[in-house]
């Protein structure tokens, strides 16, 4: 009788946790949608202000550096002050970013508008909610479903950004999100911490030290297997990341696409992302160990490199995109799951912040390295580099026994 009563009393808590996770998915979807709305039109906005391709590369590098620096700090902030405070900070930073960008009438102001993005990390905030509210066995599946949010963001954001820019000008996809971001702030204030505040591990249990403590951030790399997995996470997708950073230029020069056509192509990627992370990864994690899926993603990445080296048209790229999205999604989800399990629960926010800094790192070095590769060796150079790097990593994973907390 007592156990039955306890079981019934725990059901509302489980339902409430599920609702909070859905709210986290919604917040991530809104922020990603707005991000892709402005991302598609940013090259054209920069060009209209007189910024050439080199200057646009500097703009992307500035954004990457700010996100790179802000990711781990944002994670430490979430560990010390709670997930709700971190999500509110992210929404406020996003509002400031879109406001400054919407009134950018000169190149210096356009660069200044990147400054608030140092704390614009809605996706790591949503990941923090999920890691706090799921068991280790459920984590990879729940994190994988964030790919649905990413896919919706790509589809809706890219398509809506192209339509708005065509009908109302380049500034319209940037000004539109300002009011809707208030909804994200309201959801963070009213919904998120009702469950998290009752969990002692979610607030105030992080290691002592300042939010800006580099030593506390680097301390996590000393846990068994963390450094090895993080190296694989960084280098396996780096060549593809360089290609994607240059894609706005490649789509115009190599594929000959217009802004609307580029939006449609990004929507296609969004559909693939939704299918892979929403349907495929969850089933794979139930039947395969994380070590197996990590090796599989690196092996598929090597095949993607060969396909990219041989592609010549946009239709070839659409074919290569299928295994590309699978490998990219699987690698990101599995490595995030492994790394958050490898550190104490009080440090998951910092670990997620470090993981979130991988893409900004690519955006930082991407415009320079990617520009050199594209100008001197062409599009195929990205594919050959991807092939060589991932063959090396695959051999490394086969020969090295990295300590992992195995979980099917």
């Amino acid at each position: 009788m007592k156990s039955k009563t306890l079981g019934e009393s725990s059901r509302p808590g489980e339902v409430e946790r599920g609702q909070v996770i859905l709210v986290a998915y919604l917040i991530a979807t809104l922020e990603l949608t707005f991000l892709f709305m402005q991302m598609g039109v940013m090259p054209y906005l920069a060009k209209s202000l007189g910024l050439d391709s080199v200057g646009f590369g500097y703009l992307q590098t500035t954004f990457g550096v700010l996100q790179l620096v802000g990711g781990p700090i944002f994670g430490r902030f979430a560990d010390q002050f709670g997930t709700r405070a971190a999500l509110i900070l992210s929404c406020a930073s996003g509002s400031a970013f879109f406001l400054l960008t919407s009134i950018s009438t000169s190149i210096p102001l356009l660069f200044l508008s990147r400054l608030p993005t140092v704390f614009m990390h809605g996706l790591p905030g949503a990941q923090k909610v999920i890691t706090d509210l799921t068991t280790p066995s459920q984590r990879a599946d729940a994190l994988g479903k964030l790919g649905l949010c990413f896919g919706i963001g790509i589809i809706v954001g890219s398509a809506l950004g192209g339509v708005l820019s065509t009908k109302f000008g380049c500034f319209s996809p940037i000004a539109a999100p300002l009011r809707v971001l208030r909804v994200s702030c309201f959801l963070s204030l009213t919904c998120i911490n009702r469950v998290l505040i009752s969990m002692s591990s979610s607030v105030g249990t992080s290691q002592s030290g300042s939010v800006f403590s580099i030593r506390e951030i680097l301390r996590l790399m000393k846990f068994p297997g963390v450094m090895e997995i993080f190296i694989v996470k960084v280098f396996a997708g780096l060549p593809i990341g360089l290609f994607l950073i240059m894609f706005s230029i490649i789509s115009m020069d190599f594929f000959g696409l217009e802004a609307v056509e580029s939006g449609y192509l990004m929507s296609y990627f969004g559909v693939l992302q939704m299918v892979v992370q929403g349907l495929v990864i969850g089933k794979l994690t139930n039947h395969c160990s994380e070590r197996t899926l990590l090796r599989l993603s690196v092996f598929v990445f090597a095949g993607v490199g060969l396909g990219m080296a041989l592609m010549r048209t946009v239709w070839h790229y659409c074919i290569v995109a299928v295994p590309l999205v699978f490998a990219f999604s699987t690698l990101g989800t599995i490595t995030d799951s492994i790394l958050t399990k490898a550190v104490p629960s009080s440090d998951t926010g910092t670990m997620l912040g470090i993981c979130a800094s991988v893409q900004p790192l690519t955006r930082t070095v991407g415009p320079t390295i990617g520009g050199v590769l594209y100008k001197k060796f062409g599009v195929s150079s990205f594919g050959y580099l991807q092939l060589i790097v991932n063959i090396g990593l695959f051999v490394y994973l086969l020969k090295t026994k990295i300590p992992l907390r195995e979980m099917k």
Side-chain angles (χ1 to χ4, degrees), residues 8 22 40 60 66 99 110 141 147 159 182 190 197 246 252 260 276 349 358 363 365-366 401:
E8 290 176 351
L22 288 176
Q60 294 289 83
L66 291 170
L99 176 62
L110 185 63
D141 185 22
R182 298 175 186 174
T190 57
I197 201 169
M246 299 298 299
M252 290 188 292
V260 176
V276 171
V358 173
R363 284 197 293 266
V365 302
K401 295 296 182 182

Side-chain angles (χ1 to χ4, degrees), residues 132-248:
D132 283 344
L133 298 181
T134 56
T135 62
S137 60
Q138 299 171 330
R139 188 167 300 172
D141 185 22
L143 290 174
K145 285 184 170 59
L146 275 173
L148 289 171
C149 308
F150 200 88
I152 294 173
I154 293 178
I155 295 172
V156 178
S158 301
L160 192 59
V163 172
L164 289 176
S165 62
T166 302
K167 291 188 175 182
F168 304 104
C170 291
F171 284 101
S172 56
I174 301 168
L178 283 173
R179 292 186 177 181
V180 188
L181 276 171
R182 298 175 186 174
V183 177
S184 298
C185 290
F186 176 77
L187 290 174
S188 301
L189 279 168
T190 57
C191 300
I192 292 297
N193 241 32
R194 288 182 303 171
V195 171
L196 294 180
I197 201 169
S198 65
M199 302 174 63
S200 61
S201 64
S202 66
V203 181
T205 58
S206 180
Q207 297 290 331
S208 60
S210 170
V211 172
F212 302 95
S213 175
I214 299 177
R215 185 177 64 180
E216 289 296 325
I217 293 172
L218 295 179
R219 175 182 57 85
L220 302 184
M221 290 297 173
K222 298 178 181 179
F223 285 91
V226 171
M227 180 61 75
E228 294 89 341
I229 296 298
F230 188 73
I231 289 174
V232 174
K233 181 180 182 68
V234 171
F235 287 99
L238 180 60
I240 290 294
L242 298 178
F243 173 82
L244 294 176
I245 289 298
M246 299 298 299
F247 186 73
S248 58

Side-chain angles (χ1 to χ4, degrees), residues 224-288:
V226 171
M227 180 61 75
E228 294 89 341
I229 296 298
F230 188 73
I231 289 174
V232 174
K233 181 180 182 68
V234 171
F235 287 99
L238 180 60
I240 290 294
L242 298 178
F243 173 82
L244 294 176
I245 289 298
M246 299 298 299
F247 186 73
S248 58
I249 305 297
I250 293 173
S251 63
M252 290 188 292
D253 297 342
F254 187 77
F255 293 132
L257 301 179
E258 299 293 335
V260 176
E261 294 170 331
S262 296
Y264 293 150
L265 187 60
M266 294 299 292
S267 299
Y268 168 69
F269 275 99
V271 173
L272 292 178
Q273 185 93 10
M274 292 173 65
V275 172
V276 171
Q277 291 204 233
L279 301 177
V280 178
I281 292 181
K283 293 183 178 180
L284 287 177
T285 55
N286 292 329
H287 297 88
C288 303

